[in-house]
Amino acid sequence: MKVLMGAAGAVIGLVVLALLAVVGVVISDDNASAAETTDGGGLTGVPTEFRKWILKADDACDVQEMTPALLAAQLWQESKFKTSKEEATSDAGAQGPAQFLPGTFATWGRDDDGNGETSLWDIGDAVMAQGRMMCSLLKKAKSSGYPGDVRGLALAGYNAGWGRVEQFKGVPPKSFANGETFDYVQLILSTMARFRGPSLFTVSGSGAAADALRKASGRMGTPYAWGGGGPDGPSKGFCDGTNGYIDGQCVASSTIGFDCSSLVQYAFWPKTKLPRTAAAQYGATSDRPVSRSDLKPGDLLFWSHGGSGSIYHVAMYAGDGNVLQAPRTGRTVEVAPLTSAMPERDYYGATRP
């Protein structure tokens, strides 16, 4: 990209979706609208060495409009996933796979890959830096009140600088900079679809646990709503003074979705009528504990503060080291690695419902 006003690139966000021996992926018609909005965490058409960092950068951002497909399309526009200095250095001096100017990278870059060096040429460092920058711009776009797709506003800020978005009170028009920013936004938004992977997965096998996991997988991409959801499906949530907020605004009361325990309750109902909260679900199944080395798809996993306090989260084991969960406000029902679904120190244990 040709960088305007000092903004640069960097892509793509985060965790998840190694799909198991047990799991294969499909889109569900009844969830198409949610998948279209959030991509359901799916990702395809991305080089292997970028995939991990794209998913990780996405997971690190609590803005729903941030998706792996958005970041992948942006990276494609920036560098076509190129990493050599010959192929990934622009006339404007932007460098690396995420096309950062060195000064901009100094603000957003970290040693995310842990190799002892913070470099805009390292895939992990570059992708995570782009994720941070885009996450910040998406938040600005959402609070700006400017018309148009907030993703387009954020992309325009990335390309031309947020000052230009403020100047035009939206995406700069074609008359600005020979249409470079306008075209940049349109091209990325139009190519997102090619990077959207299947958002849902199917589960082989039979029995109550497999049926429950299969049922829950049909809700991938459904928004998280604190206090929302139940045996009949997703519903509006509520805010309780602590939970259900983003940037101080209550979003749960206007969001139709699930929280962690209502998703589990919905999945097993009516064959197994689990109680509503994560703590109560642990209490109802704690007489059937399962060691971490013995986990099977459909087992329930629990987290508590410090691994010994009150239980605050429940997820379903999806096989191959992954869990299916409704993670937190601002996210959607997803598949994530067990090791990073919640803080590792908070892992409490597992049960077999």
Side-chain angles (χ1 to χ4, degrees), residues 73-131:
Q74 187 180 23
L75 186 59
W76 173 257
Q77 180 65 23
E78 295 288 0
S79 69
K80 303 296 188 291
F81 302 114
K82 303 296 185 182
T83 58
S84 71
K85 292 185 178 180
E86 294 76 19
E87 295 178 299
T89 300
S90 77
D91 294 340
Q95 302 174 15
Q99 288 291 280
F100 269 109
L101 289 176
T104 307
F105 185 75
T107 298
W108 301 103
R110 310 281 188 277
D111 180 19
D112 289 288
D113 60 10
N115 68 355
E117 179 184 9
T118 301
S119 172
L120 50 72
W121 292 103
D122 290 345
I123 292 173
D125 295 356
V127 167
M128 292 300 289
Q130 185 174 1

Side-chain angles (χ1 to χ4, degrees), residues 198-334:
S199 60
L200 311 184
F201 62 87
T202 58
V203 182
S204 61
S206 59
D211 289 344
L213 185 58
R214 189 176 295 113
K215 185 177 178 181
S217 74
R219 292 297 181 174
M220 292 257 304
T222 300
Y224 181 100
W226 170 265
D232 295 328
S235 64
K236 284 186 179 179
F238 60 88
C239 297
D240 67 351
T242 301
N243 300 289
Y245 302 87
I246 294 180
D247 296 332
Q249 300 295 314
C250 177
V251 297
S253 61
S254 60
T255 300
I256 296 175
F258 291 100
D259 61 20
C260 66
S261 55
S262 67
L263 177 67
V264 169
Q265 186 186 48
Y266 163 81
F268 281 91
W269 204 278
K271 290 182 181 178
T272 304
K273 296 184 177 181
L274 292 172
R276 177 61 177 77
T277 67
Q281 288 171 1
Y282 178 77
T285 58
S286 59
D287 60 335
R288 298 181 294 280
V290 181
S291 69
R292 197 154 169 168
S293 60
D294 251 348
L295 289 170
K296 295 182 179 179
D299 285 345
L300 303 185
L301 302 98
F302 298 90
W303 286 261
S304 69
H305 295 293
S308 59
S310 58
I311 289 170
Y312 68 81
H313 186 67
V314 60
M316 300 174 67
Y317 187 63
D320 199 32
N322 295 301
V323 302
L324 177 66
Q325 64 171 358
R328 64 179 183 272
T329 301
R331 306 296 297 179
T332 63
V333 177
E334 65 178 14

